Amino acid sequence: MFLLMRLKDKMQLISSDNVKLKCNSKNLPADQEEKMQKFAVCAFLMKTFCFCLLMAVLTFTLGVAVVTLAPKLKPIKEGLQLKRATEKSQNFSHSVDQKYKYLNNMQKSKQFKLQGGVVQWARYRANPADYDTPEERAFGESIHSSNARMTASTLLIKPNGCRVPHWHYNANEHGYLASGTAWIGILDSAPFAVTSYNVTKGQVIFLPRSTLHWMKCVGREDCLFILFFTTSDELVTRDVDDVFYATPKDIAARSLKPKGGISFINSFKQPKENQAVNLPPNLNELVHKASYTKSSFFRVSRYFFDMRASRKFRYPGGIMQWARYTKRRFWLPKSERIFAKSLNEHADTVTLATMQIFQNGMRQPHYHFNADTMGYVLAGCGRVGVDRNSTEFNIQKGDVFFFPQGAQHYIKNVGRQDLLLVIAFNTHDELQTLDMDVYFQSTADFILAQLFLKKQEEFRKIPKFKTDQDINLP
């Protein structure tokens, strides 16, 4: 704007000079008048050239300054943006109840309704706008900042519906079948043998990272899977149909070499609807013979485990069952030994457990040395406490809870029926846990007296139990 005003002033000055020359030239001879006019035109052109040259120099200088200073200004700009983002995040964290760092009401979350079923999530999203509620964002950012390597999901498949062949780039998948019967296929790595098995209620599945697999509901009732994926980043999944349609047709034809060549490939028409959980209305026309085979015992035991039929660990206040790796494998059944070895041989796998807490029972305060914890409420309602910020909250059917590694927590049944949980611990080694009664009994009473400012003999009132009190009763 300043430069334009200067240009305007210059033009006005040149015009006034011309007027003066014209006024003064009225009394001059014709030849001198012509010379004066030529001189005025030359003067005007010279001034215009000088002005344009000046503008070019200024523009060049400004460009050099921008290029020179931009790298120095960028960190300042980024610092301001980071400061604003931090302030915004701090304001966000203060506006949401602290309990949602550990609680996700997944049964109330967005339902991704597909042709053959429904999917719901308790997960981290890189873009904050992808969260449906501030509470979901608080939970997602909590598991991500803790690097928990855990994401939870429920997958409901309608009868005859199929979770189509797919694989996950960045996570192992562990699941518990809460209802129904499903036929599951897994394509192993070389020599590329398929392992398939009919999974029933109470059984556990393990699907290693990048392994191609599919799930089909083959019973008369819906299949409900409780799934845990070993990542706290966004889960990356590719379905076979999406990959196929993204491949150039000539490349697909050359790879598959079908009868009919590229004409056969051209006959595939991509549906508008997402086919992740698929159930075509004309399925009976498409499928004439389905064979639900079962693979050999050894292959099946690497990926499937019947946890409901496994050993029950009984406590005064409840029961636990495990699908896990343990160093004391000599007393395990052969199928469990194979499954445990498979878990331990893969990186970033999960230990799964079911926990049944009787009415008035409580999983006493404890923490885990070597694992984060994520769980899903199958039935009942309870009260949970986490030592961080002394947070307490209620849980009910369909909720997901999360406890960071080393955070002491407890779970108490506050309902009129048993509280039933599926719990995942992100370790492929033997889970290491320390309960409150154990660390009190293991600490010298004179140390406790000094710590709690009570007489030493007072701590003799705490009994030593003959049976484990992991899940106790009043």
Side-chain angles (χ1 to χ4, degrees):
M1 182 62 73
F2 172 75
L3 294 175
L4 290 174
M5 292 177 66
R6 291 294 304 272
L7 177 60
K8 183 179 179 182
D9 293 342
K10 287 285 184 182
M11 294 298 292
Q12 288 177 344
L13 180 61
I14 292 169
S15 298
S16 62
D17 288 344
N18 287 340
V19 171
K20 290 178 181 179
L21 284 171
K22 288 180 180 179
C23 292
N24 293 333
S25 64
K26 289 180 180 179
N27 300 321
L28 293 175
D31 57 339
Q32 289 185 357
E33 182 179 346
E34 184 178 353
K35 288 181 180 179
M36 289 294 291
Q37 287 177 352
K38 288 181 179 181
F39 175 77
V41 170
C42 291
F44 172 74
L45 293 174
M46 181 59 70
K47 289 181 180 181
T48 301
F49 171 77
C50 292
F51 179 73
C52 291
L53 181 62
L54 177 62
M55 291 295 292
V57 171
L58 289 174
T59 302
F60 176 77
T61 305
L62 182 61
V64 172
V66 169
V67 172
T68 305
L69 295 176
K72 297 180 180 179
L73 294 174
K74 186 177 179 181
I76 298 173
K77 182 181 179 181
E78 290 176 348
L80 290 172
Q81 290 176 340
L82 179 62
K83 183 179 179 181
R84 292 192 194 102
T86 303
E87 290 174 351
K88 186 176 181 180
S89 179
Q90 289 174 346
N91 293 334
F92 164 77
S93 62
H94 290 308
S95 64
V96 178
D97 193 320
Q98 290 294 308
K99 71 181 182 182
Y100 289 109
K101 289 184 177 181
Y102 314 108
L103 172 67
N104 182 289
N105 300 127
M106 190 161 68
Q107 82 284 1
K108 299 177 182 177
S109 67
K110 180 179 178 180
Q111 293 186 348
F112 293 86
K113 295 183 178 180
L114 302 163
Q115 199 177 43
V118 180
V119 182
Q120 290 179 281
W121 292 95
R123 60 180 171 176
Y124 166 76
R125 307 304 301 271
N127 184 356
D130 290 337
Y131 291 108
D132 292 312
T133 66
E135 290 76 17
E136 286 183 28
R137 179 182 169 188
F139 184 85
E141 292 184 352
S142 176
I143 61 175
H144 184 67
S145 62
S146 299
N147 192 28
R149 305 192 315 279
M150 299 260 264
T151 291
S153 172
T154 55
L155 169 62
L156 185 146
I157 307 177
K158 300 175 185 177
N160 288 320
C162 180
R163 176 65 182 99
V164 302
H166 65 283
W167 68 92
H168 309 290
Y169 286 165
N170 61 335
N172 298 306
E173 180 177 356
H174 297 257
Y176 174 87
L177 184 57
S179 65
T181 302
W183 182 70
I184 299 179
I186 304 170
L187 180 58
D188 294 322
S189 55
F192 305 115
V194 173
T195 300
S196 57
Y197 185 67
N198 282 301
V199 180
T200 57
K201 180 180 177 180
Q203 294 189 325
V204 167
I205 61 174
F206 164 50
L207 309 167
R209 175 188 284 115
S210 298
T211 300
L212 186 75
H213 55 276
W214 58 88
M215 308 170 182
K216 181 174 174 64
C217 184
V218 294
R220 294 184 178 181
E221 64 174 320
D222 293 344
C223 290
L224 177 62
F225 285 95
I226 314 303
L227 302 174
F228 298 95
F229 302 90
T230 58
T231 181
S232 51
D233 292 324
E234 289 204 53
L235 182 66
V236 184
T237 302
R238 293 296 282 164
D239 292 351
V240 165
D241 62 324
D242 292 332
V243 174
F244 175 80
Y245 288 119
T247 303
K249 293 182 178 181
D250 60 324
I251 300 298
R254 183 171 177 177
S255 300
L256 301 176
K257 293 183 170 59
K259 185 178 180 180
I262 198 167
S263 296
F264 175 79
I265 301 298
N266 285 330
S267 69
F268 287 79
K269 304 300 179 184
Q270 185 172 7
K272 293 180 180 180
E273 292 184 14
N274 189 329
Q275 296 294 305
V277 186
N278 164 287
L279 184 55
N282 62 335
L283 184 62
N284 291 333
E285 299 175 14
L286 300 173
V287 178
H288 303 291
K289 184 180 179 181
S291 176
Y292 303 113
T293 59
K294 180 179 177 180
S295 299
S296 66
F297 170 82
F298 174 76
R299 301 198 72 87
V300 166
S301 297
R302 293 172 61 191
Y303 305 112
F304 306 100
F305 176 62
D306 189 357
M307 186 160 64
R308 190 169 64 164
S310 68
R311 177 184 174 185
K312 294 182 178 180
F313 292 83
R314 298 181 181 276
Y315 304 95
I319 299 172
M320 290 193 71
Q321 291 178 279
W322 293 91
R324 62 178 173 178
Y325 168 78
T326 175
K327 296 175 182 177
R328 296 162 289 179
R329 298 195 302 274
F330 60 90
W331 51 267
L332 297 177
K334 187 175 180 180
S335 61
E336 193 167 350
R337 289 202 305 271
I338 295 171
F339 185 79
K341 183 181 178 183
S342 179
L343 288 181
N344 190 244
E345 287 176 345
H346 290 83
D348 294 334
T349 54
V350 161
T351 292
L352 279 181
T354 55
M355 183 185 295
Q356 181 181 359
I357 304 178
F358 303 148
Q359 188 176 358
N360 293 321
M362 180 183 72
R363 176 64 181 100
Q364 69 157 297
H366 64 285
Y367 69 91
H368 306 289
F369 291 97
N370 61 335
D372 302 288
T373 305
M374 187 174 284
Y376 179 88
V377 184
L378 283 171
C381 53
R383 183 76 175 167
V384 170
V386 189
D387 71 347
R388 294 189 177 186
N389 304 316
S390 300
T391 303
E392 275 195 326
F393 53 89
N394 292 324
I395 54 174
Q396 59 183 332
K397 182 179 179 180
D399 283 343
V400 172
F401 52 84
F402 165 66
F403 309 125
Q405 178 178 330
Q408 181 170 281
H409 53 276
Y410 63 84
I411 306 172
K412 181 168 58 175
N413 187 345
V414 296
R416 296 181 179 180
Q417 66 178 103
D418 290 351
L419 178 61
L420 184 59
L421 313 168
V422 179
I423 306 177
F425 308 89
N426 61 349
T427 178
H428 69 290
D429 288 323
E430 194 166 41
L431 182 66
Q432 299 174 2
T433 304
L434 185 59
D435 292 345
M436 177 177 279
D437 67 326
V438 174
Y439 66 70
F440 261 77
Q441 288 291 353
S442 302
T443 305
D445 54 10
F446 64 88
I447 297 296
L448 293 173
Q450 183 172 341
L451 172 62
F452 291 103
L453 309 179
K454 293 181 72 70
K455 291 183 178 180
Q456 184 174 347
E457 54 269 23
E458 288 287 304
F459 292 95
R460 294 169 190 163
K461 295 178 180 179
I462 301 175
K464 291 186 177 180
F465 301 102
K466 294 182 180 180
T467 58
D468 288 339
Q469 297 292 304
D470 294 23
I471 309 175
N472 63 25
L473 282 173

